[in-house]
Amino acid sequence: MAEQASGKKGFLSWYFGANLLVRIMIGLILGAIVGVALAFSAPETGQAFIKYTKFFGDLFINLLKMIVVPVIFLSLIAGGASIAPAQLGRVGVKTLCYYLGMTIVAVTIGLVMSTILSPGEGLGILGAEGAQGKAAKAPGFDQVLLAIVPTNPIASLAKGDVLPIIFFALIFGIALSFLKESANATLRRQAETLFDIVSAGAEVMYKIVHGIMQYAPIGVFVLIAIVFAQQGPRVIGPLVFVTALVYICLIMHIFIGYGGIMAVFGLNLFTFLKGAQEAMITAFVTRSSSATLPISLQVSEEKLGVPRSISSFALPIGATVNMEGTAIYLSVCATFIANAVGQPLTFDQQLTILITGTLGAIGAAGVPGAGAIMMLMVLESIGLKVEAGSAVAAAYAMILGIDALLDMGRTCMNVTGDINGVVIVSKSEGVLDLSKWKRA
């Protein structure tokens, strides 16, 4: 009887028994193949596929989004409370300085490469009916900062407003950290009890993450197939060039930005990429830094040796304020639009993009397509207004046509930067588990 029980396998054992990353890669490749085939098939065939499979891709996104708020809230409180009060300020400053510095590097790479290769030059796009954009309505920077402080934290949790949630959870965690070291024994005991509850809640969420990721290969297959089916035929000529340029800049940022700073700290870039690859792939197909956050937390701790006290403290912040891929996208595509309408950027406009792109990337939400909205703000800042029927609107509409492909790459870079940041901060603090880096 025992032998029978030990030899019994479920009919899906072949699926759950295989390596998760391999399953995700298979889903990615098969999805691309099916998507390309659909792109060149009859339109009704692709529409039928999207109609009957879109549910399964949306389900994966919804499952990930379901856990975003509780993961951010619980992990950030636990992370803030796990760091000694004396260390909180130092880790926070290092994290923010890293994110800001790398975003500036990303924008610079995008602008330099765009100036050299001039994407969109010679297109001479004219205004046309049906190629319309949206009027840019970017909030002032003071309003962005003010919106971080929630007037009602419970309402922010209910609405999923990430920045206010991060702010409140961070303040809560810091206060809890101080209480844990209180001279009052009663307060200290109560703080430890609350900390245990929050930490247990975070562990429950991580367990749910593991379960959701078993569905990832199916979700990946559908999402990739739909993207290629919808966008494939449109990626031609200049759009192929600007797409390639964005990805070239993203790769350059990996080697120049991440490779450079990791070399300074004595870490191996390829070991890092191997450890972060699961989160990178998830970000690529979901196009959401926030939805990928649970995976980022997992790989940073389990694969790269980052202590939870730092990963749960810095990654939720990075998922919202660190948008290095978005910064590259903004600089390259703004240059493309300017060239396409016959208004090449001046040096002053490039400096404006450097500033606005950095701040815009920081303010961009970690959800699919947010960068396309931030593009409106950047174009407005350099005097290229997206008005109905205008040439700028036509060029902007071209970028929107391939935005899904660009969004996948920039989101992957955003998440990679988040993870790289916590690795560097951990190494600078002397708490990185280097035994994880010796396995590769």
Side-chain angles (χ1 to χ4, degrees):
M1 193 72 174
E3 182 179 352
Q4 182 180 359
S6 63
K8 186 178 180 180
K9 294 183 178 180
F11 75 100
L12 288 178
S13 59
W14 60 270
Y15 177 82
F16 293 106
N19 180 274
L20 177 60
L21 186 59
V22 171
R23 282 183 278 152
I24 291 176
M25 288 302 300
I26 291 174
L28 179 68
I29 295 171
L30 290 179
I33 293 173
V34 171
V36 170
L38 290 170
F40 290 98
S41 65
E44 54 270 19
T45 302
Q47 293 171 1
F49 176 85
I50 293 172
K51 177 181 178 181
Y52 292 108
T53 63
K54 185 174 181 294
F55 167 82
F56 300 99
D58 292 343
L59 177 60
F60 181 49
I61 298 295
N62 284 0
L63 286 171
L64 288 173
K65 288 185 175 180
M66 174 186 73
I67 58 177
V68 169
V69 170
V71 164
I72 290 176
F73 187 67
L74 293 172
S75 65
L76 195 53
I77 290 177
S82 297
I83 304 178
Q87 189 184 16
L88 276 171
R90 187 172 67 249
V91 171
V93 169
K94 286 182 178 180
T95 300
L96 293 176
C97 285
Y98 169 87
Y99 290 152
L100 180 61
M102 280 297 172
T103 300
I104 292 174
V105 170
V107 176
T108 302
I109 289 175
L111 286 174
V112 169
M113 291 299 294
S114 297
T115 300
I116 295 173
L117 299 177
S118 300
E121 188 175 41
L123 275 180
I125 294 178
L126 301 175
E129 294 297 328
Q132 300 179 352
K134 301 178 181 178
K137 295 181 180 179
F141 187 59
D142 58 335
Q143 293 301 312
V144 174
L145 293 178
L146 190 60
I148 294 176
V149 183
T151 56
N152 185 341
I154 304 303
S156 296
L157 286 167
K159 291 187 294 184
D161 293 337
V162 178
L163 277 175
I165 292 173
I166 286 179
F167 181 83
F168 179 74
L170 185 58
I171 296 299
F172 194 101
I174 292 173
L176 184 57
S177 176
F178 277 95
L179 280 182
K180 285 170 60 183
E181 297 189 2
S182 172
N184 186 308
T186 301
L187 287 177
R188 190 166 61 248
R189 185 179 67 253
Q190 292 172 339
E192 290 288 352
T193 300
L194 179 57
F195 175 73
D196 289 341
I197 293 173
V198 172
S199 296
E203 288 293 341
V204 170
M205 295 312 303
Y206 299 145
K207 181 63 69 174
I208 294 175
V209 170
H210 281 285
I212 291 175
M213 286 308 295
Q214 298 304 315
Y215 179 72
I218 299 172
V220 165
F221 167 78
V222 174
L223 290 169
I224 288 295
I226 290 176
V227 166
F228 274 80
Q230 290 179 325
Q231 306 297 336
R234 301 184 183 181
V235 187
I236 56 176
L239 292 182
V240 172
F241 183 74
V242 72
T243 301
L245 181 56
V246 168
Y247 278 88
I248 288 171
C249 290
L250 294 175
I251 293 172
M252 288 180 62
H253 187 57
I254 289 177
F255 288 96
I256 296 175
Y258 304 150
I261 195 169
M262 296 193 82
V264 171
F265 283 88
L267 298 173
N268 186 287
L269 174 63
F270 296 101
T271 302
F272 165 74
L273 294 176
K274 181 178 180 181
Q277 61 185 339
E278 187 176 331
M280 293 171 67
I281 293 172
T282 302
F284 187 82
V285 298
T286 64
R287 299 163 49 208
S288 173
S289 299
S290 296
T292 309
L293 179 58
I295 316 303
S296 300
L297 287 163
Q298 177 185 336
V299 300
S300 64
E301 296 171 16
E302 298 179 2
K303 304 291 180 62
L304 297 171
V306 177
R308 181 166 300 178
S309 60
I310 290 182
S311 65
S312 60
F313 172 80
L315 280 176
I317 298 175
T320 300
V321 305
N322 182 48
M323 300 289 169
E324 298 161 38
T326 301
I328 287 175
Y329 156 83
L330 292 174
S331 56
V332 172
C333 291
T335 304
F336 169 84
I337 292 173
N339 288 337
V341 299
Q343 299 182 38
L345 296 176
T346 65
F347 181 71
D348 288 342
Q349 286 176 312
Q350 290 180 327
L351 287 179
T352 301
I353 290 179
L354 177 62
I355 297 171
T356 311
T358 299
L359 297 179
I362 291 175
V367 296
I373 304 302
M374 300 310 298
M375 175 62 69
L376 295 172
M377 184 185 76
V378 171
L379 292 174
E380 182 82 13
S381 72
I382 58 176
L384 296 177
K385 298 184 182 297
V386 182
E387 299 175 343
S390 68
V392 177
Y396 178 71
M398 291 177 65
I399 292 297
L400 286 183
I402 58 169
D403 184 67
L405 293 176
L406 300 178
D407 196 13
M408 293 191 301
R410 68 181 182 242
T411 304
C412 178
M413 177 61 64
N414 293 341
V415 169
T416 305
D418 297 343
I419 300 173
N420 188 258
V422 297
V423 167
I424 295 301
V425 171
S426 298
K427 184 65 163 59
S428 70
E429 289 289 301
V431 294
L432 186 67
D433 184 0
L434 295 177
S435 65
K436 305 279 188 181
W437 294 72
K438 297 176 181 178
R439 296 176 181 176

